[in-house]
Amino acid sequence: MNILIQLGHPAHFHLYKNIIHRLKENNHNIYVLIKKKDVLEDLLINAKIPYINIFPNIRKNTKWAIIKATLTRLFRIAIFTVKHKITLLTGSSTEIAQVARFFKRHSIILGEDDAAIIPQFVSLASVFMDSYLTPISCNMGKIEQRVIKYEGFHKLTYLHPNQFTPDLSIVKQYIDTDKPYFIIRFAQLKAYHDTNIDGITSEIAQKLINILEPAGNIYITSERELEPQFEKYRLNINPLDIHHILAYAGLYIGDSQSMAVEAAMLGVPSVRFNDFVGRIGVLEELEHKYGLTYGIKTSQPDLLFAKIEELIDTPNLRDEFQRRRQKMLAAKIDVTAFLVWFIENYPQSAEIMKKNPDYQFRFR
């Protein structure tokens, strides 16, 4: 098949990277289209995955700029689809569904956010979508019955043990591993669904550093510009190596959902501090069913500091979280293997999953 994969965020690179390699190995023609976003291009270049940037400009965060950028990408994806005789389009954007419907091609949309978090996306995608796949813990509201659900998480496409083995020698290239270390993450929180969402302020970050520093080294990774007092903590690495470093961390703290889920996949204790707490099904499952992460709202900074102190004082913390991770993995599938099968056998695969959802458990 001629398959178009659209990536709009570094998280999408990780979601699709192993799928891309597997599909290429199976002799499909893969075309990767992207827009400029954070370290997305760096990741693709370092992974030696060819791509085409259909929106290389940094857009403004106004509503008009978002609409204009979306229409531009839609037009360019449409032209590319016709020119390269695309058979199937996949990604996490409404443009994929819209182009596929207009040109009568197949589309597979992968999502991990609940409908209440991305209502505009769900409203648009539901009109045009062919198949929409989400983890079983996602609440998709009015389109719940039209969604195909699987036992897994996006992050398992690249952090499942079948797909990833942490390498301590890579970590040692950047970090002194003789001493415990902790990772703090600052998200940008400027996407359309981040409106009225707060996270870690400079004052809170400094208090976190004061708590953590006596117990180990601190490394900060940030989407937003760092204040001068935090520059000495900046983690400067090849972005492809971040998961090796995260895997051996003693603790992750951040206002990013994505990295909190990644920490959970690796059995690393994580604390997320933002106003999405209690609203995202994937993280609710990881927190309340498996005990792999903790969510604290920005109205409770004292609770944040108390939780961090409790965790760093807990003996055998890593061993306990690795046990929790194994419990989670035992209930989930190898999402990469499942999605490769789903794409290659589409649309028959969609019919199989609708009739027999347990078919997914063949992919362990």
Side-chain angles (χ1 to χ4, degrees), residues 92-123:
S92 298
S93 74
T94 56
E95 300 101 84
I96 289 295
Q98 290 164 334
V99 170
R101 176 60 61 88
F102 187 82
F103 291 106
K104 298 182 180 179
R105 312 296 163 91
H106 293 307
S107 68
I108 299 171
I109 307 300
L110 303 183
E112 198 176 36
D113 289 315
D114 299 77
I117 301 296
I118 50 168
Q120 295 166 313
F121 176 87
V122 170
S123 295

Side-chain angles (χ1 to χ4, degrees), residues 99-355:
V99 170
R101 176 60 61 88
F102 187 82
F103 291 106
K104 298 182 180 179
R105 312 296 163 91
H106 293 307
S107 68
I108 299 171
I109 307 300
L110 303 183
E112 198 176 36
D113 289 315
D114 299 77
I117 301 296
I118 50 168
Q120 295 166 313
F121 176 87
V122 170
S123 295
L124 284 170
S126 63
V127 175
F128 301 99
M129 70 182 187
D130 200 352
S131 282
Y132 194 164
L133 273 67
T134 72
I136 199 162
S137 51
C138 290
N139 181 345
M140 298 312 299
K142 65 182 180 181
I143 65 168
E144 185 79 22
Q145 300 305 315
R146 298 176 58 196
V147 173
I148 296 173
K149 294 194 170 187
Y150 60 88
E151 282 283 2
F153 306 102
H154 275 191
K155 278 63 177 174
L156 281 183
T157 59
Y158 54 97
L159 295 177
H160 190 281
N162 292 351
Q163 310 297 333
F164 177 75
T165 302
D167 188 339
L168 187 60
S169 67
I170 291 175
V171 182
K172 289 181 176 180
Q173 295 175 22
Y174 306 105
I175 286 173
D176 177 7
T177 57
D178 292 332
K179 189 175 182 181
Y181 64 89
F182 312 104
I183 294 177
I184 299 176
R185 168 72 168 172
F186 301 150
Q188 199 166 21
L189 298 176
K190 287 187 177 179
Y192 78 90
H193 54 262
D194 293 331
T195 304
N196 299 321
I197 297 295
D198 291 323
I200 297 174
T201 64
S202 298
E203 181 182 3
I204 289 172
Q206 188 59 60
K207 288 184 179 180
L208 288 172
I209 289 170
N210 294 343
I211 293 169
L212 293 168
E213 214 154 25
N217 293 324
I218 297 163
Y219 298 94
I220 294 177
T221 171
S222 180
E223 281 186 332
R224 60 186 187 252
E225 187 176 345
L226 282 182
E227 291 85 349
Q229 68 266 32
F230 300 131
E231 275 296 336
K232 63 180 179 180
Y233 302 105
R234 183 187 290 276
L235 182 62
N236 291 305
I237 61 169
N238 181 330
L240 285 177
D241 294 335
I242 185 61
H243 299 116
H244 296 281
I245 292 169
L246 181 60
Y248 289 97
L251 184 64
Y252 163 83
I253 307 132
D255 45 23
S256 161
Q257 269 74 242
S258 289
M259 211 162 180
V261 176
E262 289 173 338
M265 298 299 98
L266 296 166
V268 174
S270 68
V271 182
R272 64 197 188 281
F273 183 73
N274 62 34
D275 294 320
F276 280 120
V277 171
R279 298 170 57 193
I280 298 178
V282 165
L283 282 158
E284 289 297 289
E285 180 184 13
L286 289 169
E287 179 170 1
H288 300 294
K289 186 173 182 178
Y290 298 109
L292 282 165
T293 186
Y294 303 96
I296 299 172
K297 294 183 178 181
T298 56
S299 60
Q300 301 174 298
D302 290 339
L303 183 59
L304 170 68
F305 305 138
K307 175 57 70 174
I308 301 305
E309 290 175 342
E310 174 194 327
L311 289 171
I312 61 178
D313 289 339
T314 301
N316 303 314
L317 182 66
R318 182 175 181 83
D319 292 341
E320 172 58 28
F321 270 71
Q322 288 299 314
R323 283 192 289 270
R324 296 179 188 183
R325 177 191 185 228
Q326 290 305 318
K327 178 184 176 183
M328 177 271 293
L329 290 172
K332 303 303 179 182
I333 62 172
D334 180 341
V335 182
T336 291
F338 167 70
L339 290 176
V340 169
W341 165 79
F342 193 90
I343 291 169
E344 288 191 313
N345 293 279
Y346 194 80
Q348 290 80 10
S349 54
E351 293 304 315
I352 290 170
M353 281 295 294
K354 289 173 184 176
K355 293 176 181 177

Side-chain angles (χ1 to χ4, degrees), residues 9 33 55 115 187 330 364:
H9 191 279
L33 272 55
F55 197 82
R364 290 288 196 176

